[in-house]
Amino acid sequence: MTNSALATRPVISAATYPLTRLNGQPAPQTLRPVTLSFRDGRLGGSDGCNNVGGAYTVQGGRITLTGGLVGTKMACPDQPTLDFQTFFEQRPTLSVQGSTLTLRAAEDTWEFQAR
């Protein structure tokens, strides 16, 4: 197997990852847990209010959406807003250490813990 083949292979376990820290602080309190899940080349999850999903690839240590994100558009007054669309448009870097998945883009660091 070539190095380029290894670089394009997803390194993410098929698991659900709740957000535990956002920019070094505890995850914001939301109606539902903020989560990501990865299965069969698709990511899904919740921003704490709305569900999101889309196809992805991992190349060069970055996660790239291959068709954008789709999501529900429920109104959740008084809820913190986590803009998954803008965050993933930045092609965040991805690292996995044990059960911790970390995504970094620009000045944002999102840490998730597999369950």
Side-chain angles (χ1 to χ4, degrees):
M1 191 172 300
T2 67
N3 285 343
S4 63
L6 289 173
T8 60
R9 177 179 285 171
V11 295
I12 309 164
S13 298
T16 298
Y17 293 86
L19 183 68
T20 55
R21 298 188 69 74
L22 180 63
N23 297 325
Q25 300 298 314
Q29 294 297 311
T30 53
L31 263 158
R32 298 183 304 169
V34 175
T35 61
L36 284 180
S37 62
F38 300 89
R39 287 181 180 75
D40 302 323
R42 296 197 56 81
L43 71 82
S46 168
D47 66 5
C49 175
N50 289 288
N51 294 321
V52 297
Y56 76 93
T57 61
V58 176
Q59 294 181 328
R62 292 188 172 273
I63 190 163
T64 302
L65 297 176
T66 57
L69 278 179
V70 295
T72 59
K73 298 207 184 271
M74 297 186 306
C76 297
D78 302 322
Q79 285 290 297
T81 301
L82 295 177
D83 190 350
F84 276 52
Q85 182 70 39
T86 300
F87 183 72
F88 280 102
E89 284 174 356
Q90 297 176 62
R91 296 183 57 236
T93 60
L94 166 79
S95 64
V96 179
Q97 292 186 336
S99 61
T100 302
L101 180 142
T102 304
L103 298 173
R104 288 185 179 90
E107 297 177 12
D108 291 322
T109 300
W110 297 23
E111 295 178 39
F112 298 83
Q113 193 73 36
R115 62 173 170 172

